[in-house]
């Protein structure tokens, strides 16, 4: 088997040859984050995919993220090195189920979290991410808003708006497992540390935390804050970016068991193989991509 250094060299050479850029989500394993051109949260990666000048995008993340890139940049080849990396929460709602709900609430706007299939995005009015969900909902003229699929993100948004929020009943298995007791225990071990959690956490966990941010929002907050210690309530892969971007801060996982197995399916060998074989490619048929693009671009236009 090739050494890690050799695989890195191989990736860098292939990247040049293919005119490729590597995008990686904050939850990827350390060496994948280290070889990426851009590491970020869903919103940052979607913006990058829309604006990058490259022939090929290698998406180190899960399928809905690569689909979003393919929808935004149909002229580019999008590779997903771990073809089976999915988001179980994204699969908790289908376009057919959403259409039924829309029929029940004909005056409601539909906001699809980017953690959805291309078909669900196509059946929605606008997308959102964890970084902009409140702003997106507030940008709508409708007073009733269906939010799919994350019930926790929907309930979080409901705290900041007078609109009626109708949440779908999906959830992220990784974030759903955090409890207020985890926060109590972590605070006892690190008194004085600020607790930062993701909006995919349950409402009682959000109540027990100090701040709620998207993954990159947590990093920006920690880097800018005068506080020196942080307890991080999200997937543990993010700790690598804290150590790179604010090495002087002490960051502890809220739970070391908070691992998204799908985010861990990508490794350097798969990235090298994807660039070599130009597969697996992610493509979205234009009849689905066109309405999905409208919903994503409408989101990107909200500043
Ligand atoms: P972010 O957009 O905050 O990076 O979140 C993506 C995700 O899948 C969280 O579980
Ligand atoms: Fe999906 Fe949760 Fe994994 Fe994020 S952490 S990709 S929401 S399963």
């Amino acid at each position: 088997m090739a050494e890690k250094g050799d695989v890195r060299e191989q990736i860098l050479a292939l990247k040049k040859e293919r005119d490729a850029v590597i995008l990686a989500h904050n939850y990827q394993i350390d060496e994948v984050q280290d070889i990426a051109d851009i590491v970020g949260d869903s919103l940052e990666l979607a913006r990058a995919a829309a604006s990058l000048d490259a022939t090929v995008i290698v998406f180190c993340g899960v399928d809905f993220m690569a689909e979003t890139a393919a929808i935004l940049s149909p002229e580019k080849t999008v590779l997903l090195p771990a073809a089976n990396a999915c988001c179980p929460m994204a699969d908790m709602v289908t376009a057919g189920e959403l259409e039924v709900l829309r029929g029940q609430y004909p005056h409601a706007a539909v906001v699809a979290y980017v953690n959805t299939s291309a078909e669900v995005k196509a059946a929605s009015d606008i997308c959102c991410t964890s970084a902009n969900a409140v702003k997106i909902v507030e940008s709508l003229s409708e007073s009733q808003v269906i939010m799919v699929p994350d019930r926790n993100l929907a309930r979080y948004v409901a705290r900041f708006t007078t609109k009626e929020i109708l949440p779908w009943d999906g959830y992220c298995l990784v974030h759903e497992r955090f409890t207020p007791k985890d926060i109590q225990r972590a605070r006892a071990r690190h008194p004085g540390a600020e607790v930062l959690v993701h909006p995919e956490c349950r409402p009682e966990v959000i109540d027990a935390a100090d701040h709620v941010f998207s993954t990159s929002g947590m990093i920006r907050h920690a880097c800018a804050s005068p506080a020196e210690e942080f307890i991080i309530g999200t997937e543990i892969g993010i700790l690598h970016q804290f150590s790179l971007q604010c090495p002087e801060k002490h960051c502890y996982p809220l739970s070391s068991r908070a691992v998204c197995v799908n985010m861990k399916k990508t490794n350097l060998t798969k990235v090298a193989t994807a660039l070599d074989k130009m597969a697996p490619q992610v493509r979205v048929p234009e009849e689905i991509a066109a309405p999905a693009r409208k919903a994503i671009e409408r989101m990107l236009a909200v500043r």
Side-chain angles (χ1 to χ4, degrees):
M1 218 173 86
E3 294 292 323
K4 244 185 219 171
D6 296 344
V7 184
R8 276 184 62 91
E9 291 308 313
Q10 200 187 346
I11 292 171
L12 295 176
L14 282 165
K15 211 170 71 125
K16 231 182 185 165
E17 195 181 308
R18 304 287 194 207
D19 183 30
V21 286
I22 302 179
L23 305 185
H25 187 263
N26 288 319
Y27 295 161
Q28 291 289 292
I29 62 171
D30 298 1
E31 50 261 44
V32 168
Q33 294 188 29
D34 291 342
I35 200 128
D37 297 291
I38 299 174
V39 182
D41 65 13
S42 309
L43 184 60
E44 291 167 333
L45 297 178
R47 286 198 192 285
S51 62
L52 274 173
D53 187 17
T55 309
V56 177
I57 293 177
V58 183
F59 215 112
C60 303
V62 293
D63 55 4
F64 75 81
M65 296 178 173
E67 272 187 357
T68 301
I71 291 165
L72 287 170
S73 288
E75 72 292 350
K76 294 185 186 119
T77 300
V78 177
L79 301 172
L80 180 64
N84 63 346
C86 62
C87 170
M89 174 166 72
D91 296 333
M92 288 180 186
V93 64
T94 65
E97 289 169 330
L98 180 53
E99 283 307 332
V100 172
L101 190 61
R102 230 193 218 289
Q104 288 163 4
Y105 298 95
H107 302 297
V110 175
V111 178
Y113 194 21
V114 282
N115 300 44
T116 44
S117 66
E119 289 80 0
V120 167
K121 288 181 179 75
S124 71
D125 297 307
I126 188 167
C127 289
C128 77
T129 77
S130 65
N132 62 14
V134 174
K135 222 191 249 178
I136 295 297
V137 167
E138 285 297 85
S139 77
L140 301 167
S141 55
E142 292 86 345
S143 57
Q144 224 179 18
V145 180
I146 293 170
M147 290 188 76
V148 293
D150 187 7
R151 64 187 181 205
N152 291 329
L153 180 70
R155 290 172 188 154
Y156 175 68
V157 169
R159 297 174 186 229
F160 300 96
T161 180
T162 52
K163 295 180 194 288
E164 185 190 359
I165 303 292
L166 306 165
W168 189 257
D169 201 25
Y171 57 90
C172 163
L173 286 158
V174 179
H175 290 86
E176 184 77 7
R177 276 196 209 116
F178 292 125
T179 64
K181 223 180 179 106
D182 290 332
I183 295 186
Q184 259 172 31
R185 272 196 292 259
R187 283 197 198 274
R189 269 197 303 273
H190 307 289
E194 277 189 9
V195 178
L196 314 183
V197 301
H198 197 272
E200 288 175 15
C201 292
R202 285 155 47 185
E204 56 272 33
V205 170
I206 284 175
D207 287 339
D210 296 312
H211 299 284
V212 181
F213 293 111
S214 76
T215 55
S216 291
M218 289 182 188
I219 301 167
R220 275 193 295 275
H221 173 82
C223 291
S225 164
E228 287 171 7
E229 290 188 292
F230 300 89
I231 294 158
I232 307 302
T234 193
E235 211 271 353
I236 58 170
I238 196 175
L239 293 170
H240 187 53
Q241 284 303 310
F242 280 102
S243 71
L244 294 175
Q245 295 187 38
C246 43
E248 72 288 2
K249 308 276 166 142
H250 301 282
C251 299
Y252 316 102
L254 178 54
S255 163
S256 54
R257 286 168 298 139
V259 176
C260 174
V261 290
N262 283 286
M263 283 286 185
K264 306 305 181 204
K265 287 179 177 168
T266 311
N267 57 35
L268 290 184
T269 308
K270 287 184 189 170
V271 173
T273 307
L275 275 166
D276 183 30
K277 310 267 187 241
M278 288 295 280
Q281 293 188 12
V282 175
R283 288 177 196 278
V284 180
E286 192 51 26
E287 64 271 21
I288 296 165
R293 190 176 302 123
K294 246 173 134 174
I296 302 168
E297 285 179 344
R298 189 173 168 197
M299 166 186 83
L300 294 177
V302 176
R303 290 285 178 171

